[in-house]
Amino acid sequence: APVVHTSAGKTVKNPMRGKVVEATLIEKATYTDARFLTQFVSDTGKLYPKRRLGVSAKAQRAISRATKTARQMGILPYTERLPQFRKARNPDV
C-alpha cells in the first residue's frame, strides 16, 4: 500500500481514503475524462484492485463503471494504457 508522510510526522497508509478525497474521486470518475481514468489502469489495460489504490468500495465501483463505459465508447483502449499516459521506460536498457 502506498505510504505518505505528512508534515506533522505522521504516516498515512492509504492517501486515497477520506471523505473529501472519496467525494472528489466519485465526482471526477466520469467516462469522458480519459486522463483521470488512466491512473487506475495498468500498462496492460487491467484495472488496479481496490487494495492497491486504497479507495473505498463505492469509489472503486464508480471508477470501474466509468472505465468500462469509456472502453465501450472508444475513449479508452481495452488492451493497454493510452500511449501518451504510459510510464516512461528506461532507454538505456
Side-chain angles (χ1 to χ4, degrees), residues 4-79:
V4 175
H5 301 287
T6 62
S7 59
K10 293 185 177 182
T11 302
V12 181
K13 281 190 177 181
N14 294 321
M16 292 277 204
R17 290 218 171 142
K19 289 183 181 179
V20 176
V21 177
E22 292 294 328
T24 307
L25 276 174
I26 293 169
E27 186 179 303
K28 283 192 75 172
T30 60
Y31 69 92
T32 57
D33 194 358
R35 179 181 291 274
F36 176 74
L37 291 175
T38 51
Q39 65 183 331
F40 304 110
V41 179
S42 70
D43 283 339
T44 58
K46 292 183 177 182
L47 281 169
Y48 288 128
K50 180 172 87 81
R51 65 181 178 272
R52 180 161 189 249
L53 296 175
V55 297
S56 69
K58 186 175 183 180
Q60 181 71 10
R61 283 193 304 270
I63 291 165
S64 175
R65 196 177 313 116
T67 305
K68 289 175 182 180
T69 305
R71 285 175 174 166
Q72 286 181 341
M73 299 290 283
I75 298 169
L76 281 178
Y78 281 93
T79 55

